Amino acid sequence: MQERLGILYRWITLLQTRQSDELQKDKTVTYETETMDSQPSVYALVDGPLGEKVEDWLQDRNDISLDAAFSGAEQLSEIPDEEPDLIISAGYTHLIPEEIINVPERGAVNLHYSYLPYARGANTNVCSIIDDHPAGVSIHYMVEKVD
């Protein structure tokens, strides 16, 4: 898990330097934080054990502002009004419409615990064993298609 979070940290660091012209059950947690200009506003789409660990890790960061964490699909409608700089998804099981994916200036990133494209969808850790696929983790910019 620490290795996965380390990879995510490197992605967040890269996203902070990216130019603006580049690209449990339905819970909402809103974090009251003091946002500095250099800290990107982050919304987390999280669910399950992986999502909880990523949410905890994001809360402890000093270089971002974790403004909200969602686990339910109906909560996605709040994102366009808030215009976060970045969306990070981990363990999130709901489809995310393209109009939500396109809101953040710095993009929407997904932490998928399988080595794409070998194991797509849910329960991917089992696929690498059963189908003898490479095991790993993928971090990618989200598009409307399912990973």
Side-chain angles (χ1 to χ4, degrees):
M1 179 57 63
Q2 291 294 10
E3 183 177 327
R4 290 179 185 155
L5 293 178
I7 293 169
L8 183 59
Y9 170 73
R10 287 191 290 278
W11 261 89
I12 289 173
T13 303
L14 287 172
L15 290 169
Q16 287 176 336
T17 60
R18 184 175 175 200
Q19 298 297 322
S20 63
D21 57 344
E22 295 178 24
L23 210 195
Q24 318 161 17
K25 299 281 180 198
D26 302 345
K27 69 170 183 165
T28 300
V29 179
T30 303
Y31 298 97
E32 297 296 325
T33 58
E34 187 176 319
T35 305
M36 297 170 38
D37 289 340
S38 62
Q39 292 181 326
S41 166
V42 176
Y43 272 43
L45 306 178
V46 292
D47 203 2
L50 174 64
E52 289 174 11
K53 287 185 185 288
V54 169
E55 180 182 355
D56 290 344
W57 180 77
L58 289 169
Q59 287 177 44
D60 293 338
R61 309 249 0 112
N62 293 342
D63 53 353
I64 64 162
S65 173
L66 180 61
D67 293 335
F70 299 146
S71 64
E74 69 281 346
Q75 299 152 319
L76 294 176
S77 63
E78 297 178 31
I79 292 176
D81 294 334
E82 299 301 322
E83 297 181 355
D85 297 316
L86 177 66
I87 292 175
I88 297 176
S89 170
Y92 192 72
T93 57
H94 305 285
L95 294 178
I96 304 168
E98 188 173 13
E99 59 270 13
I100 300 298
I101 292 170
N102 292 331
V103 168
E105 182 178 306
R106 297 183 181 196
V109 177
N110 183 44
L111 175 65
H112 184 84
Y113 56 102
S114 79
Y115 189 54
L116 292 173
Y118 296 102
R120 298 174 181 226
N123 300 316
T124 56
N125 51 346
V126 175
C127 293
S128 63
I129 297 168
I130 294 172
D131 297 333
D132 195 31
H133 289 173
V137 64
S138 299
I139 299 175
H140 60 92
Y141 284 104
M142 289 189 275
V143 295
E144 190 173 18
K145 296 189 300 186
V146 178
D147 56 13

